[in-house]
Amino acid sequence: MPFNPLNLVSLGSINDDGSKKTLHPADVAGKYTRSRRIVALVLIIVYVALPWIPVNGFPAVFLDVLNRRFHFMGLTLAVQDLWVGFFLVTGLGFGLFYVTALFGRVWCGWTCPYTVFLEHVYRRIERLIDGDATARRKLDAAPWTPHKIAKRVFKHSLYILSSLIIAHVFLSYFVSLEQLYAMMHESPQAHAVAFGVMAFLTVGLYGAFSWFREQFCVIMCPYGRMQSALVDDHTINIGYDKKRGEPRGKTGTTGAGDCVNCLRCVQVCPTGIDIRNGLQLECIGCAACADACDTIMTKLGRKTGLVRYDSLTAFEGGKTRLIRPRIILYTGLLLLGLGVFGFSASRIEPMRANVLRMQGSPYYVSNGIVRNQFLVRLINKRNEPRTFSLALEGEVPAGLTAAGADAPVTIAAQDEELKPLMITLPESAFKAPFKFSLSITDTKDGKTYRTKPFEFAGPDPTLKSNDYLDAKQYLQK
């Protein structure tokens, strides 16, 4: 039985025997296609440009995994600050829910990196070399001639080159462009991990965009399956106006609707569906079918918009409500996540310090002196060296001394320092464990940072006595 594009039983990208069907969506022109190409161009420029744009001495986005520093538009996070990212991810996640509830899978069709690269890079290359959809299908069915082999080699060479460029740009987000350029002038063995990541990404991108293609959106991406839980009858999606289009018939047919059953909407669909069957999991909301249908309607002298962005309620003659309970909920959660992120990010200090007790006994007693051993970790997040002075604050009893906090500490830009801290107190002055903190003052701007309180431990004075110990007191009667 030949493939029927109107059949909802099987996927449009699967043959009758279950094998993958190579789709050749036809090219289309229209207002949505032009807008999508502009958006894609801007996104690709941003993707390539971010590692080039310096902000506070570092690229605008630089995930310096090696040194455990993460730079986002001038904000520098150490590993200990990454908890702030939870609120950013939460806010963006609810933002995606918000957009989906309003406009369906507009993210997939317009801004998803996979769609941007597939539709506006790799398929552009394919159309440039192999021709339109009809020419590509003929070339697939043609025998292997020198002409076909040359086209295939040229096309896949450009695919590999594009994958290499995308992979190298991605790698520059983690090693910086300067370091990446230096790596490229050395042997792969000198930077085996970075080279392995780049090679893996190149192979993955080439396989995905040259062969797997729309199957990633249909099979692997979980977002399409979440769509049904996020949308409702008032969500604006790409849809077909059945009231206006049915019954279908050729031009001039008495009683026929506006749809002439030309199947142009199916021919341009990148996932091979028929939008006239309603909203489907495979639809990515790219609006290619809307532009194709508008072109046909214009040629026939009929009103455009037979296939358009609208809600199910509007297609049935009702009025779309943009403000509804789920939109209010998603808006609140979005603002909450972004608000908490903004508040948390504003409280991140350019200097971080913490005090850890060294391994071993919590305290040592020698020659009437109680000694506690700590390790102070100081992190300078600025892009310039800074000198800090250290001092103890809090319940500091008389006779307490701190070796290691008596001299200023200079820390290089974006560096950290581990400094031992030995605190001693005469045993006679120790009455009970007490807490204090360490203040770190920047000698340049005078700003003071404080660590969390830590405890000075020692022997329990109540357990010390020179009285005779009578064992009979501990025998059970």
Side-chain angles (χ1 to χ4, degrees):
M1 171 178 153
F3 171 72
N4 181 2
L6 308 183
N7 187 5
L8 284 173
V9 176
S10 63
L11 296 174
S13 57
I14 299 296
N15 289 311
D16 293 334
D17 60 359
S19 61
K20 179 183 180 298
K21 179 180 180 180
T22 301
L23 295 180
H24 292 293
D27 209 355
V28 63
K31 59 182 179 180
Y32 295 121
T33 300
R34 287 192 298 271
S35 299
R36 286 178 64 226
R37 287 176 181 170
I38 293 172
V39 170
L41 179 61
V42 171
L43 291 175
I44 291 174
I45 292 174
V46 169
Y47 172 71
V48 175
L50 282 178
W52 292 84
I53 302 174
V55 180
N56 290 341
F58 289 94
V61 178
F62 180 30
L63 309 177
D64 190 359
V65 178
L66 182 61
N67 295 309
R68 294 173 294 179
R69 299 289 185 273
F70 307 93
H71 310 275
F72 301 92
M73 301 298 178
L75 176 66
T76 298
L77 301 177
V79 174
Q80 296 85 352
D81 301 322
L82 287 183
W83 60 272
V84 176
F86 169 79
F87 299 105
L88 176 62
V89 173
T90 301
L92 293 178
F94 285 118
L96 188 60
F97 291 175
Y98 176 83
V99 172
T100 305
L102 279 174
F103 304 112
R105 290 183 69 177
V106 67
W107 156 264
C108 294
W110 289 70
T111 58
C112 173
Y114 191 88
T115 302
V116 168
F117 288 128
L118 175 59
E119 295 296 326
H120 303 285
V121 176
Y122 290 84
R123 277 195 167 131
R124 290 286 96 192
I125 293 173
E126 185 174 53
R127 290 183 174 111
L128 179 65
I129 297 173
D130 291 346
D132 60 15
T134 303
R136 295 198 301 274
R137 281 190 288 268
K138 289 182 178 179
L139 187 63
D140 280 353
W144 286 95
T145 63
H147 177 70
K148 179 176 179 178
I149 293 174
K151 280 196 169 186
R152 286 289 188 262
V153 170
F154 185 39
K155 180 178 72 173
H156 286 271
S157 296
L158 292 180
Y159 283 170
I160 294 173
L161 178 61
S162 300
S163 301
L164 279 168
I165 294 173
I166 296 172
H168 277 81
V169 173
F170 181 80
L171 190 60
S172 69
Y173 279 83
F174 296 87
V175 299
S176 80
L177 281 171
E178 182 180 358
Q179 183 65 20
L180 178 63
Y181 185 75
M183 289 179 178
M184 293 170 63
H185 285 75
E186 298 178 7
S187 67
Q189 292 84 353
H191 306 281
V193 175
F195 181 81
V197 170
M198 183 278 302
F200 176 80
L201 285 175
T202 300
V203 173
L205 290 169
Y206 170 73
F209 292 126
S210 67
W211 178 77
F212 202 56
R213 294 199 165 183
E214 72 285 336
Q215 296 301 304
F216 179 87
C217 304
V218 175
I219 298 174
M220 295 185 63
C221 180
Y223 181 51
R225 287 157 178 78
M226 294 171 57
Q227 178 181 226
S228 59
L230 298 174
V231 303
D232 57 21
D233 289 350
H234 293 275
T235 300
I236 298 175
N237 281 297
I238 285 292
Y240 166 67
D241 191 343
K242 290 186 177 181
K243 288 188 175 182
R244 177 185 156 191
E246 302 295 328
R248 305 168 194 174
K250 295 181 179 181
T251 304
T253 303
T254 304
D258 281 351
C259 179
V260 294
N261 204 27
C262 63
L263 298 182
R264 182 64 177 167
C265 56
V266 180
Q267 295 167 2
V268 301
C269 180
T271 57
I273 68 168
D274 187 340
I275 194 62
R276 296 173 297 177
N277 289 324
L279 183 62
Q280 298 156 63
L281 179 147
E282 305 97 290
C283 178
I284 62 172
C286 66
C289 53
D291 278 339
C293 187
D294 284 350
T295 301
I296 299 299
M297 292 296 105
T298 301
K299 289 180 179 180
L300 296 177
R302 299 178 182 180
K303 183 181 177 182
T304 59
L306 180 60
V307 178
R308 64 182 184 271
Y309 279 113
D310 216 335
S311 68
L312 180 61
T313 300
F315 281 121
E316 292 177 351
K319 184 178 180 180
T320 302
R321 288 189 297 109
L322 293 180
I323 301 177
R324 48 197 194 273
R326 72 171 59 206
I327 296 299
I328 296 174
L329 174 63
Y330 293 157
T331 303
L333 293 174
L334 167 64
L335 295 177
L336 177 63
L338 294 180
V340 173
F341 168 75
F343 175 76
S344 303
S346 66
R347 296 180 63 85
I348 294 177
E349 300 286 359
M351 192 276 171
R352 185 180 181 90
N354 56 4
V355 179
L356 302 174
R357 190 179 297 275
M358 288 188 181
Q359 293 183 351
S361 175
Y363 64 89
Y364 298 89
V365 180
S366 177
N367 298 325
I369 300 296
V370 181
R371 184 178 79 254
N372 282 209
Q373 303 179 158
F374 300 94
L375 195 63
V376 182
R377 186 181 187 187
L378 305 172
I379 303 175
N380 177 22
K381 301 179 187 177
R382 290 186 174 89
N383 298 329
E384 61 179 356
R386 288 295 180 99
T387 300
F388 302 92
S389 60
L390 284 62
L392 296 179
E393 285 189 354
E395 302 173 2
V396 181
L400 185 141
T401 61
D406 49 356
V409 181
T410 300
I411 306 176
Q414 296 293 325
D415 202 359
E416 64 181 65
E417 182 82 16
L418 290 175
K419 186 176 181 64
L421 178 63
M422 305 296 177
I423 302 178
T424 59
L425 181 69
E427 187 176 7
S428 58
F430 182 80
K431 305 302 180 184
F434 56 91
K435 291 185 176 182
F436 49 87
S437 60
L438 186 67
S439 67
I440 301 97
T441 302
D442 191 328
T443 58
K444 184 175 182 178
D445 58 18
K447 189 171 183 180
T448 299
Y449 310 90
R450 290 173 177 83
T451 65
K452 292 182 179 179
F454 55 98
E455 187 177 70
F456 185 91
D460 189 346
T462 62
L463 297 179
K464 295 188 297 182
S465 175
N466 293 325
D467 295 340
Y468 174 74
L469 179 62
D470 186 2
K472 293 181 180 180
Q473 298 178 3
Y474 300 93
L475 295 178
Q476 293 183 356
K477 297 180 180 180

